[in-house]
Amino acid sequence: VRSGKKGWGLETSVALKKGQFITEYCGEVLDEASYLERKRNYMAKGQRHYYFMTLNSHEVIDACNKGNLGRFTNHSCEPNCETQKWQVRGDLCIGLFALCDIPAGTELTFDYNFERYGDKPMRCLCGSKSCRGVIGGGEGAAERLEALSEDEFDEEEVEPLMVK
């Protein structure tokens, strides 16, 4: 579904129960060298949105071209979902799970907690009561937000980068 300034989002069509598995985060599994090359290629092409998620210390999932609907799950500072890593038939997988009961028709979100690359922070558009104001940045992000002028933000749609 379209999700305002956030771009595309993922909405549940059925009610979900707390702890329920929703979907696997799927895509190409890349080693570190391939990930860095892919990221450089995307940047050189002017590609604005990335769908990288850390799988383990030496592999990353790229859901850009070969991902599923899970890649459209937006960030929130008060998420209703979380990612969990599981072993399935010997392979490490990342699943999206409900943090609470979620009514049908609700947008699914998780906290990206990503490492920001580049010099411009991205304004958080989640609209939650405890919104930190920026995506990524960890502790103290809200204080750093207050010190920035309006032209220091990347105002385009939110791009998920490296999710931990």
Side-chain angles (χ1 to χ4, degrees):
V1 298
R2 288 296 293 174
S3 188
K5 288 184 176 183
K6 295 184 283 184
W8 294 99
L10 185 63
E11 187 176 278
T12 181
S13 60
V14 298
L16 301 169
K17 294 288 184 194
K18 181 179 179 176
Q20 185 173 343
F21 170 76
I22 300 166
T23 189
E24 180 181 357
Y25 194 87
C26 295
E28 288 182 85
V29 177
L30 307 174
D31 61 25
E32 187 173 353
S34 298
Y35 155 68
L36 293 171
E37 180 180 345
R38 182 77 53 94
K39 189 173 104 177
R40 277 191 300 274
N41 289 339
Y42 288 164
M43 292 172 77
K45 291 189 310 187
Q47 184 166 325
R48 176 90 184 105
H49 301 278
Y50 310 117
Y51 301 92
F52 296 124
M53 188 177 293
T54 301
L55 183 60
N56 55 42
S57 63
H58 58 279
E59 293 177 311
V60 171
I61 297 173
D62 178 3
C64 186
N65 295 313
K66 297 185 178 180
N68 63 359
L69 290 176
R71 72 182 179 155
F72 296 112
T73 310
N74 282 317
H75 164 82
S76 177
C77 297
E78 288 181 24
N80 54 17
C81 299
E82 69 178 353
T83 57
Q84 295 179 16
K85 294 182 181 181
W86 289 69
Q87 286 282 334
V88 179
R89 296 185 181 126
D91 292 323
L92 186 60
C93 301
I94 300 176
L96 188 68
F97 291 82
L99 283 172
C100 56
D101 290 346
I102 305 171
T106 302
E107 182 179 4
L108 302 176
T109 60
F110 71 98
D111 188 340
Y112 286 180
N113 288 315
F114 69 68
E115 297 172 19
R116 185 168 40 85
Y117 300 103
D119 58 349
K120 288 191 175 184
M122 285 191 298
R123 184 181 305 278
C124 180
L125 303 171
C126 76
S128 70
K129 291 177 185 173
S130 62
C131 181
R132 295 185 297 268
V134 293
I135 299 177
E139 295 290 322
E143 291 77 21
R144 289 191 302 277
L145 171 69
E146 292 175 10
L148 297 173
S149 66
E150 285 301 311
D151 62 342
E152 292 181 277
F153 282 99
D154 188 340
E155 288 294 338
E156 294 188 35
E157 294 176 8
V158 174
E159 62 183 69
L161 294 177
M162 179 64 78
V163 179
K164 288 190 168 194

